[in-house]
Amino acid sequence: QVQLQQWGAGLLKPSETLSLTCAVNGGSFRGFYWTWIRQSPGKGLEWIGEINHKGTTKYSPSLESRVTISVDTSKNQFSLNLSSVTAADTALYYCARGDPIIGVIMTVDAFDIWGQGTMVTVSS
Amino acid sequence: QSVLTQPPSVSGAPGQRVTISCTGSSSNIGAGYDAHWYQQFPGTAPKLLIYGNSNRPSGVPDRFSGSKSGTSASLAITGLQAEDEADYFCQSYDSSLSTYVFGTGTKVTVL
């Protein structure tokens, strides 16, 4: 039974860097895309980016200039860094496992396992 | 910002059938990208309910079903139960935005 456990700072000041880590317990790291998603009342669910076991990343174009996702396969962990945060980055952040579902046109990840979520508040 | 539009709420009596629409466009569902569906209870993470338009993960009751047609996807709940009261979200990929996208969310209320 794969489980994701995430942690990181929950209160930041504007311009600081958000840092979260997610540990993958009980399953293989290979074959999946390790993903960060955030949820806020104003924007709903928003995909931030993903990484595979090789370290290949994809980011949301709207956040790409501020986002870094990294992986530590020796610890089965992956991390999110989001720089220069503002109040607009206040949200509940989730890590998730992206399972590539092969479709007619292309593979569309389905997020089948989620972490417990970390509420991040940006306030001066 | 969501490019997948869902009705804010739907409701039904126990035992009834309800459907939730997820309306996209020619750059996401209409382009042939699959839709997935999630169920979320207050204070908890979303749970994958339907993948690949119409497939249920192990453990999901068969009263949940999904379909896709044109630029839209749909989730149906038959034999509605009190425990189905939750928020539901669709998800797909958008080629214009080059990102995974989620629906606006629908709150299901069991009367």
Side-chain angles (χ1 to χ4, degrees), chain B residues 10-23:
Chain B
V10 299
S11 62
Q16 284 189 331
R17 180 179 187 268
V18 297
T19 62
I20 301 170
S21 59
C22 173
T23 303

Side-chain angles (χ1 to χ4, degrees), chain B residues 12-107:
Chain B
Q16 284 189 331
R17 180 179 187 268
V18 297
T19 62
I20 301 170
S21 59
C22 173
T23 303
S25 67
S26 58
S27 61
N28 43 68
I29 296 174
Y33 297 109
D34 284 353
H36 313 311
W37 289 89
Y38 300 85
Q39 178 189 57
Q40 184 178 32
F41 296 105
T44 68
K47 168 193 170 184
L48 181 64
L49 198 65
I50 296 287
Y51 67 92
N53 303 317
S54 59
N55 302 289
R56 286 185 306 276
S58 174
V60 173
D62 60 5
R63 65 177 183 275
F64 293 96
S65 63
S67 62
K68 186 182 108 167
S69 179
T71 59
S72 296
S74 293
L75 173 71
I77 310 174
T78 57
L80 192 64
Q81 298 183 8
E83 65 201 55
D84 299 332
E85 194 162 278
D87 293 325
Y88 294 82
F89 297 90
C90 58
Q91 175 239 323
S92 186
Y93 181 83
D94 191 282
S95 58
S96 293
L97 298 175
S98 297
T99 185
Y100 289 103
V101 290
F102 289 89
T104 49
T106 299
K107 180 174 182 59

Side-chain angles (χ1 to χ4, degrees), chain A residues 37-95:
Chain A
I37 294 165
R38 67 184 182 181
Q39 185 174 28
S40 61
K43 291 186 176 181
L45 286 161
E46 182 180 12
W47 180 81
I48 298 170
E50 65 185 19
I51 192 167
N52 65 11
H53 72 282
K54 297 179 181 179
T56 303
T57 55
K58 296 179 187 176
Y59 299 134
S60 169
S62 66
L63 296 170
E64 189 166 16
S65 63
R66 299 192 291 128
V67 171
T68 302
I69 297 176
S70 58
V71 65
D72 185 338
T73 54
S74 67
K75 295 182 179 179
N76 270 20
Q77 294 176 0
F78 62 106
S79 298
L80 168 70
N81 276 7
L82 180 65
S83 64
S84 305
V85 298
T86 69
D89 296 310
T90 294
L92 184 54
Y93 285 73
Y94 291 103
C95 58

